[in-house]
Amino acid sequence: MLLSISVRRMVCCMAVVLLASSIGYSQINDTTVAAAETIIGLRFTEQERDSFKSDLDEQLKAYQTIRNHKLDNEVPPAITFNPIPVDYDRPSGQNRLQLRESQYKGLPANRSDLAFYSVRDLAHLIRTRQMTSLELTRFFIDRLRRYDQQLHCVITITEERALREARQADAEITAGQYRGPLHGIPYGAKDLLAVKGYKTTWGAEPYKNQVIDEDAAVIKKLHDAGAVLVAKLTLGALAWGDVWYGGMTRNPWNLQQGSSGSSAGSAAATAAGLVPFAIGSETWGSIV
């Protein structure tokens, strides 16, 4: 199978660091990299090696820190992640967030101001039928088309699906079948997530025409909540870095900078008011 440079780089980095840490090397060098290439059956050019060697010493130090931390034999392995602080008294029962009607914004005189309305305020406009989901969806699709020329944050605008979902939301709300605060709200999704009928590129050249013909779980959940998918957004190739096969996604506050990280498109599109909210994923700080 043909592997992209991103995949090959990641595999080799892991092999180099694990090899060096297991045999006690304190520093990565050309010999270590060559040995790792032999073990995993890959070959890199000198330029390719230079592109990832700078990261390896830092990763090796991280492994050594872990190895130097002594654990008693009775300490169980960390097989679950629990973010709740120790001794935190979690309240029982279910609580529902409710906001007072006076807190909501009304329909702005200048429609462009809608770009930076919160989801809460947009939901109020749709629920009270001051505007339709179809109007709001077209508004954000227009912004995506206009500003993607500068930001390069969009891989695919899912217009056909979006207009269909928006019309369905409007029909349901008119009939009194309001699903909740995401009903009729447009959003974007990082192109790591599969969407039926559209490409799922993972931001990587070898997969730019890939179609996974089903909806990812989070897409299904948002559809069930009535949210409207308007775009699949850029990510660093295979969720690594901020450069995809179409170029570098830009920081809306400084177009000379990248948006950074594997959720670059979700971050840039939300910050620039091209979508009310977006789905990303974080392994190493991209959402932050």
Side-chain angles (χ1 to χ4, degrees), residues 237-258:
L238 298 173
W240 187 273
D242 71 345
V243 178
W244 64 296
Y245 62 83
M248 183 173 70
T249 299
R250 304 290 173 167
N251 175 356
W253 287 284
N254 183 349
L255 295 177
Q256 303 308 309
Q257 293 181 347

Side-chain angles (χ1 to χ4, degrees), residues 5 8-9 12 37 42-46 48-49 52:
I5 182 62
R8 294 167 66 232
R9 167 189 167 134
C12 194
E37 289 179 26
L42 293 176
R43 288 292 179 268
F44 292 87
T45 66
E46 184 176 349
E48 289 171 342
R49 293 188 192 101
F52 61 74

Side-chain angles (χ1 to χ4, degrees), residues 11-31:
V11 170
C12 194
C13 282
M14 292 171 61
V16 170
V17 173
L18 290 172
L19 175 64
S21 63
S22 65
I23 62 180
Y25 280 7
S26 60
Q27 189 175 6
I28 304 294
N29 54 35
D30 290 340
T31 302

Side-chain angles (χ1 to χ4, degrees), residues 17 20-21 25-28 55-68:
V17 173
S21 63
Y25 280 7
S26 60
Q27 189 175 6
I28 304 294
D55 297 334
L56 298 179
D57 283 328
E58 182 180 344
Q59 294 183 33
L60 178 58
K61 289 176 184 176
Y63 272 98
Q64 290 169 337
T65 299
I66 294 171
R67 288 172 180 267
N68 291 335

Side-chain angles (χ1 to χ4, degrees), residues 46-258:
E46 184 176 349
Q47 292 79 7
E48 289 171 342
R49 293 188 192 101
D50 285 340
S51 73
F52 61 74
K53 276 170 57 179
S54 60
D55 297 334
L56 298 179
D57 283 328
E58 182 180 344
Q59 294 183 33
L60 178 58
K61 289 176 184 176
Y63 272 98
Q64 290 169 337
T65 299
I66 294 171
R67 288 172 180 267
N68 291 335
H69 186 78
K70 303 301 181 184
L71 292 175
D72 293 332
N73 194 51
E74 65 269 17
V75 176
I79 56 175
T80 61
F81 172 71
N82 183 358
I84 299 174
V86 175
D87 298 327
Y88 174 75
D89 186 17
R90 183 163 47 179
S92 59
Q94 293 184 346
N95 296 315
R96 183 181 179 89
L97 179 64
Q98 293 184 332
L99 299 172
R100 290 177 302 175
E101 196 74 15
S102 61
Q103 292 179 308
Y104 295 114
K105 290 182 181 178
L107 193 65
N110 184 349
R111 287 295 179 100
S112 64
D113 292 345
L114 289 169
F116 297 101
Y117 266 37
S118 68
V119 170
R120 179 202 67 180
D121 291 321
L122 293 173
H124 170 69
L125 295 177
I126 288 176
R127 180 176 61 82
T128 57
R129 297 169 65 185
Q130 295 182 57
M131 73 179 310
T132 65
S133 174
L134 188 61
E135 290 174 316
L136 194 63
T137 297
R138 284 175 169 155
F139 170 81
F140 281 107
I141 287 175
D142 287 345
R143 285 185 63 82
L144 285 161
R145 287 207 169 100
R146 188 185 324 153
Y147 292 108
D148 182 56
Q149 299 173 38
Q150 296 169 276
L151 296 176
H152 309 302
C153 61
V154 178
I155 290 182
T156 304
I157 293 178
T158 57
E159 183 169 11
E160 182 179 351
R161 175 180 175 133
L163 297 180
R164 182 174 67 248
E165 290 182 331
R167 290 188 179 100
Q168 179 181 348
D170 288 334
E172 290 174 349
I173 293 167
T174 299
Q177 301 168 0
Y178 186 63
R179 301 192 198 184
L182 293 182
H183 202 175
I185 302 295
Y187 76 99
K190 177 177 181 173
D191 200 31
L192 194 66
L193 300 169
V195 174
K196 187 176 180 64
Y198 293 93
K199 295 184 294 184
T200 299
T201 71
W202 300 337
E205 183 80 26
Y207 304 104
K208 67 179 184 179
N209 294 314
Q210 172 179 249
V211 175
I212 302 174
D213 208 23
E214 61 179 298
D215 285 347
V218 67
I219 301 296
K220 290 179 182 177
K221 288 178 181 293
L222 286 166
H223 176 76
D224 291 343
V228 176
L229 178 66
V230 291
K232 303 196 76 182
L233 304 170
T234 59
L235 65 156
L238 298 173
W240 187 273
D242 71 345
V243 178
W244 64 296
Y245 62 83
M248 183 173 70
T249 299
R250 304 290 173 167
N251 175 356
W253 287 284
N254 183 349
L255 295 177
Q256 303 308 309
Q257 293 181 347

